[in-house]
Amino acid sequence: MKFFKFILLFLLAAQHCQAQDTAVILTKGMIDQPTNAIYFGWLNGWKFKQGTDTGFEKINIDTTGWKKLKPVEISSKQADKNGRVEGWFRIKIRLDSSLLNKQIGFDFRPYAATELFIDGKRIAVRGNTGENGKAFREYNGGLDPVIINLESSSSHLLAIHFVSYLSPIPPHDLKIWGGGIVFLTGPNYYNFYSDLTKNNFGTNVLLMSACALLSILFWLLRFQNKQEKNLVWIALFTSMLTILLFCSIGGSQTGITYVQSLTYNTLGGLSGFILILILLPLLLVKVFNREINRVLMWVLTLFVVLNFIASLNTLWNSFGPAAGVISTALVLGICIYYVVTSWKKLKGAQWAIVFGLIFFIITLVITLILQLLFKNLAYSVFFKNVSISLVFLSIPLSLLVYVSMRFKEIIVEVQINAKKVIELSEERKVDAENQQKILQEEVNRQTAEFRNTLTNLKSTQSQLIQSEKMASLGELTAGITHEIQNPLNFVNNFSEVNKELLIEMKDEMEKGNYDDVKEIVDDVINNEEKINHHGKRADAIVKGMLQHSSSGSGKKEPSDINKLADEYLRLAYHGLRAKDKSFNAMMKTDFDETIGNINIIPQDMGRVILNLITNAFYAASLPSKGGFLNPNYVHSPTVWVSTKRINTP
């Protein structure tokens, strides 16, 4: 809009420039409203002379050879090999009656050293042009107009001596803001811009503080809830918005250098670029549980490339804003597409993002339309504060609502899952009680089987004792009887204990003491494990006896030789004790645990081991010859059984 305003001012001023030395008449109609300024850097009638010569502020000098050049047209083309641009601008102006006898001011653009002369008299100096051997110093002040009162209606010679340098940062533009070096201000200019700057600063600080707090909140929530992946994009979005507002505040400060201003503007533009063109569509895709397809990636990449190329173009000052508006409109179109295509699948907290985006778009469009229809609204403090606040806070606040609703949904989900867990626990409790009943029935069945087994073993023992031909087997049966008595005692004892526990559990169930019931159930389970263990022990003894008495299959099978030797050691010992109560001997073992299972015929090997150990016990029971001669001699026979793994080639 300012570009077209400058063109209008240029056309108005051109009507007053009839000849080369004709004064340009400044009228009240040229004053830009509501800024109360005349940007006469766009007017015709300016003459330019490049160089370091002095004395060009004088009224009557020969300007033949001076170049017709407006202050707004000065650029890096006029720079010397050191990047320095120095020259003089001259123009004749005349105030019409509407501006006479009124306070007017001359304000200066920053980042150039400027000397202002009116009718050959130096009125103001900003910075230092390097005059009299002094070091160059650029001007980087803020609102600092020179107030004068031109009472004469005759023409006045305006001469400007300026010095500036090229920017050290590519593309190395001249360090002068657009709109010329000096412009004319009305009596209300200073108050207007001072109030506007203060209000803008206060509003931006409040907005930045709100966005910064939201950003910190979202990052903290992200670190505490890493399973919520969308919090990353939400935190990034609010962080970029905070950076954008920070750069807006920093770039509007007075007294900063050109590099600092360029840094703020570049960083702010980059953060805004990332915010709108990249994060906003990706945020919607993630929140709506959509896929980042190739089309979206290609479109975003195309936006990035086009905006980067446009930023390097010399026409960026005129094309850049249009490119930014077009890119923003296209990205918002993509966002609207995702909203429309996801409409039927949206639910719960996702609607908060939709309403925030719709409110953002409507507010932005209404603001632009009102500024086009009512130009003064662009400088209205109230309008700017309200519109900027609504535009900048619409999406962040909707994100806050989304996060709060999302966490509420998570809490509801947790409550539902907890209820299901409780119901499942109750079902498992009933199943446990049923399993306990089945287990008790199984215990009773196994106890009956153990008793039958005991009866059969006793019958077998009687038959073996009575058989002369099975003398060795009779000795073995005696050992088996002694060995099997221990597990059977355990089975009987734990069965009686389980009976008492079940009666106690029944009483506790009637009382409703389910915690005690659970403890009793655990005790019964432990007892049953012990019953099972000793039952298996008795079963193993019986199987060993049957294998010993049977002829066997004659086939080799993997067997634990250590276990077999230990079993027959104890059987042989108790067999001898059954025949002779006075018999006593020590038993020691030294088994090599690295042997593992070996392929043998268990029945045959068992008989061999039994005979060897029986013979060893008989030999050990006989006292030595020296023992008969020593009255204090105490016979203490000991039998060692050891195994050793010998590596064979």
Side-chain angles (χ1 to χ4, degrees), residues 592-606:
D592 187 353
E593 300 297 334
T594 63
I595 295 176
N597 293 334
I598 58 176
N599 288 325
I600 58 175
I601 302 175
Q603 296 86 352
D604 295 344
M605 183 60 70

Side-chain angles (χ1 to χ4, degrees), residues 446-621:
Q446 290 186 3
T447 302
E449 290 180 356
F450 291 150
R451 289 175 179 174
N452 293 332
T453 301
L454 181 60
T455 302
N456 294 333
L457 287 175
K458 289 181 178 180
S459 175
T460 302
Q461 182 181 16
S462 299
Q463 293 176 5
L464 289 174
I465 293 174
Q466 294 176 2
S467 176
E468 297 256 342
K469 297 180 181 180
M470 302 294 290
S472 63
L473 187 61
E475 295 175 357
L476 179 63
T477 303
I480 292 173
T481 304
H482 185 276
E483 280 295 296
I484 205 171
Q485 188 63 42
N486 288 332
L488 288 177
N489 289 336
F490 278 106
V491 169
N492 292 331
N493 292 336
F494 282 115
S495 298
E496 292 175 0
V497 171
N498 278 356
K499 180 178 179 181
E500 295 174 359
L501 289 175
L502 291 174
I503 295 173
E504 183 180 356
M505 182 177 70
K506 182 177 179 182
D507 295 337
E508 295 297 333
M509 290 178 63
E510 292 176 353
K511 296 177 182 180
N513 297 330
Y514 289 103
D515 291 336
D516 295 338
V517 170
K518 291 181 179 179
E519 292 180 0
I520 295 173
V521 169
D522 293 337
D523 293 338
V524 171
I525 292 174
N526 292 333
N527 292 343
E528 291 302 324
E529 291 177 353
K530 294 176 181 178
I531 290 173
N532 185 45
H533 169 73
H534 292 290
K536 289 181 178 179
R537 172 65 184 149
D539 182 67
I541 295 171
V542 172
K543 287 181 179 179
M545 180 196 71
L546 293 175
Q547 288 178 351
H548 182 79
S549 61
S550 64
S551 60
S553 62
K555 294 183 180 180
K556 293 182 178 181
E557 59 185 51
S559 302
D560 189 345
I561 192 67
N562 294 335
K563 183 177 180 181
L564 196 65
D566 182 72
E567 186 76 24
Y568 281 101
L569 172 64
R570 287 182 283 104
L571 290 177
Y573 174 77
H574 291 296
L576 293 174
R577 287 275 298 172
K579 293 176 63 177
D580 184 7
K581 299 296 184 180
S582 63
F583 172 77
N584 195 8
M586 297 288 292
M587 294 182 293
K588 294 185 178 181
T589 59
D590 183 16
F591 295 136
D592 187 353
E593 300 297 334
T594 63
I595 295 176
N597 293 334
I598 58 176
N599 288 325
I600 58 175
I601 302 175
Q603 296 86 352
D604 295 344
M605 183 60 70
R607 292 189 182 97
V608 171
I609 295 173
L610 178 64
N611 291 333
L612 289 174
I613 295 175
T614 301
N615 292 336
F617 276 123
Y618 275 122
S621 63

Side-chain angles (χ1 to χ4, degrees), residues 128-185:
N128 196 314
T129 60
E131 185 182 11
N132 298 326
K134 296 180 180 179
F136 168 80
R137 179 172 55 84
E138 68 181 23
Y139 170 68
N140 55 2
L143 294 175
D144 190 18
V146 178
I147 306 299
I148 62 174
N149 193 337
L150 296 178
E151 299 178 353
S152 174
S153 60
S154 60
S155 62
H156 300 277
L157 176 65
L158 181 65
I160 301 173
H161 176 215
F162 84 98
V163 179
S164 185
Y165 282 85
L166 299 183
S167 169
I169 301 175
H172 305 295
D173 292 329
L174 186 62
K175 295 195 293 184
I176 296 180
W177 277 12
I181 302 170
V182 179
F183 57 95
L184 195 67
T185 66

Side-chain angles (χ1 to χ4, degrees), residues 129-391:
T129 60
E131 185 182 11
N132 298 326
K134 296 180 180 179
F136 168 80
R137 179 172 55 84
E138 68 181 23
Y139 170 68
N140 55 2
L143 294 175
D144 190 18
V146 178
I147 306 299
I148 62 174
N149 193 337
L150 296 178
E151 299 178 353
S152 174
S153 60
S154 60
S155 62
H156 300 277
L157 176 65
L158 181 65
I160 301 173
H161 176 215
F162 84 98
V163 179
S164 185
Y165 282 85
L166 299 183
S167 169
I169 301 175
H172 305 295
D173 292 329
L174 186 62
K175 295 195 293 184
I176 296 180
W177 277 12
I181 302 170
V182 179
F183 57 95
L184 195 67
T185 66
N188 297 324
Y189 171 82
Y190 180 82
N191 293 332
F192 171 78
Y193 263 109
S194 178
D195 294 339
L196 184 63
T197 302
K198 291 179 181 178
N199 282 279
N200 287 343
F201 178 81
T203 301
N204 288 336
V205 168
L206 290 176
L207 291 175
M208 184 192 72
S209 301
C211 291
L213 290 175
L214 289 176
S215 177
I216 294 173
L217 173 64
F218 292 145
W219 280 117
L220 290 176
L221 290 175
R222 170 65 183 90
F223 290 132
Q224 295 295 326
N225 303 272
K226 295 183 179 180
Q227 71 279 4
E228 286 294 314
K229 304 298 183 181
N230 293 338
L231 285 174
V232 174
W233 299 97
I234 294 174
L236 284 174
F237 186 89
T238 51
S239 297
M240 287 295 104
L241 187 59
T242 303
I243 294 174
L244 176 62
L245 291 169
F246 173 78
C247 293
S248 176
I249 295 172
S252 63
Q253 294 180 17
T254 59
I256 61 176
T257 64
Y258 178 83
V259 175
Q260 290 173 332
S261 176
L262 188 61
T263 302
Y264 279 123
N265 291 334
T266 303
L267 185 59
L270 180 63
S271 60
F273 172 79
I274 296 174
L275 189 72
I276 299 298
L277 297 186
I278 298 178
L279 287 182
L280 184 57
L282 291 180
L283 176 62
L284 287 182
V285 170
K286 292 295 182 180
V287 171
F288 292 168
N289 298 322
R290 299 285 295 273
E291 295 293 334
I292 303 178
N293 53 41
R294 293 184 178 180
V295 176
L296 175 61
M297 295 304 299
W298 277 110
V299 171
L300 295 180
T301 303
L302 180 62
F303 286 165
V304 172
V305 173
L306 290 178
N307 281 269
F308 179 74
I309 294 175
S311 65
L312 300 178
N313 197 296
T314 56
L315 299 177
W316 172 249
N317 288 333
S318 58
F319 175 70
V325 172
I326 294 173
S327 299
T328 302
L330 290 175
V331 171
L332 291 178
I334 294 175
C335 295
I336 294 174
Y337 164 78
Y338 276 105
V339 171
V340 173
T341 55
S342 305
W343 193 269
K344 294 182 180 180
K345 298 180 180 180
L346 296 179
K347 59 181 180 179
Q350 294 174 336
W351 284 106
I353 306 294
V354 175
F355 291 138
L357 180 63
I358 294 175
F359 187 80
F360 168 76
I361 296 175
I362 292 175
T363 305
L364 186 62
V365 171
I366 292 176
T367 300
L368 294 176
I369 292 175
L370 290 177
Q371 288 185 357
L372 290 175
L373 296 177
F374 307 99
K375 299 179 181 179
N376 291 341
L377 284 178
Y379 299 96
S380 171
V381 174
F382 176 77
F383 177 78
K384 290 195 69 173
N385 290 342
V386 173
S387 60
I388 290 175
S389 299
L390 292 177
V391 169

Side-chain angles (χ1 to χ4, degrees), residues 40-55:
F40 54 76
W42 291 84
L43 303 180
N44 288 325
W46 285 96
K47 293 181 179 181
F48 174 71
K49 178 69 173 180
Q50 188 171 357
T52 60
D53 297 337
T54 58

